[in-house]
Amino acid sequence: MRTLVACLLGALVFVGCGGDNKGNPGGPSGTLVATGLTISPATDLIKINGSETFALNAAMSDGSSRPVSGTWASDAATVASVDASGRVTGRAAGEATISGDAQGLRATRRLRVVPDYQGDWRGGWAITGCAADGDWARVDICQALPTGAVSAFRLTVTQTRDTVTGNVDFDEFPGPIQGTIRASGELELGGAFSVSDPELTLDATVSDWQSVTTDNQRMSGRFVLSLRTNGLQGTVRIGGDLRNVAKSAAGAAAASAHTQRLRRALASKLTAK
């Protein structure tokens, strides 16, 4: 009986002192603790040489949230580096995981880094090869397009995340173009358009485009320009390389005009035909 009374008295004292921890979710002392960690803002893509400053936010045991300080790290610093303040800088095309540690918890953010293709690119393009079939082959059109000749080139691009739209101009032979940026940073473009003048109408298709910039300022690459016209059966396929193409710069001067030669040659061939 005495033991039972002692137990009851002990229980009453414990309850009277708040021993059930009601209203103190952080622990016996009532101290709040962090139960989760997140990174803000929600950015998951940045450009080469671009930056974003991230912050850590802790979810607390009372349901509130608050900013907290922590330590930052990157698993691929050559792609995206991060400093002690959480400022991340894109270094090269690729992917990296940024992590923040605080109060025994960790939050991570997977980031993709892409080149900055937005802008006005100018320079030249050189013919690397020519193949024709049907009537195009019979009129020897490739003879009018010598390998190695350089002509003017311009590419104007609007970039949204990893997609681009814009216009390409192969020496007064312009048309719309669009594409995406690969994980490697390479730009893939394609387009179809028609160009008419008093002499003839050419239907063009741009394909197999692969170009890249590593510094957001100079671009190299290659493509295939396929042409058709109502006056001839078949297709001519012209391989091209970009030469001295730079953003917002004059680039290389055109040594010759591919499109003008092509139009003159076609006009004469069609007339003779």
Side-chain angles (χ1 to χ4, degrees):
M1 184 67 173
R2 186 174 299 172
T3 302
L4 178 59
V5 171
C7 290
L8 290 173
L9 288 174
L12 288 173
V13 171
F14 181 77
V15 172
C17 293
D20 63 354
N21 282 328
K22 289 183 179 179
N24 298 308
S29 65
T31 302
L32 295 178
V33 296
T35 59
L37 202 61
T38 58
I39 295 175
S40 62
T43 304
D44 62 359
L45 183 146
I46 60 176
K47 294 179 179 179
I48 293 175
N49 297 332
S51 62
E52 179 75 75
T53 299
F54 292 96
L56 290 172
N57 297 282
M60 307 306 294
S61 53
D62 67 348
S64 64
S65 64
R66 62 182 62 177
V68 293
S69 297
T71 58
W72 295 91
S74 169
D75 70 349
T78 57
V79 174
S81 62
V82 60
D83 64 15
S85 68
R87 181 182 176 85
V88 175
T89 301
R91 302 297 183 185
E95 293 188 346
T97 297
I98 304 302
S99 61
D101 294 315
Q103 300 185 25
L105 300 171
R106 169 170 290 188
T108 61
R109 174 66 53 78
R110 191 67 173 169
L111 284 177
R112 184 178 174 193
V113 180
V114 298
D116 184 4
Y117 286 103
Q118 173 123 356
D120 188 9
W121 300 83
R122 304 189 190 195
W125 70 283
I127 294 177
T128 58
C130 179
D133 56 31
D135 291 338
W136 294 83
R138 283 189 284 276
V139 299
D140 295 326
I141 195 63
C142 288
Q143 291 184 358
L145 303 169
T147 299
V150 179
S151 191
F153 170 85
R154 183 176 183 180
L155 175 66
T156 305
V157 168
T158 298
Q159 179 175 338
T160 303
R161 290 180 60 84
D162 59 353
T163 63
V164 300
T165 58
N167 288 279
V168 64
D169 189 345
F170 301 102
D171 181 30
E172 298 182 1
F173 196 73
I177 204 162
Q178 61 184 357
T180 60
I181 304 171
R182 286 181 172 182
S184 63
E186 284 188 331
L187 180 62
E188 290 187 329
L189 293 176
F193 50 90
S194 297
V195 176
S196 300
D197 62 20
E199 296 175 335
L200 78 164
T201 296
L202 290 173
D203 297 321
T205 301
V206 180
S207 62
D208 299 328
W209 183 295
Q210 293 185 10
S211 63
V212 68
T213 178
T214 57
D215 61 2
N216 302 333
Q217 296 301 318
R218 306 195 70 84
M219 181 165 55
S220 59
R222 65 183 186 275
F223 58 87
V224 173
L225 179 64
S226 301
L227 301 174
R228 298 178 62 88
T229 183
N230 290 334
L232 296 174
Q233 297 296 316
T235 305
V236 58
R237 292 171 296 278
I238 305 165
D241 275 352
L242 302 182
R243 299 290 176 88
N244 300 323
V245 174
K247 187 182 291 188
S248 300
S256 58
H258 304 330
T259 307
Q260 293 176 8
R261 288 201 310 276
L262 177 64
R263 287 170 173 167
R264 287 197 299 269
L266 277 176
S268 63
K269 298 291 185 181
L270 291 172
T271 300
K273 183 183 177 186

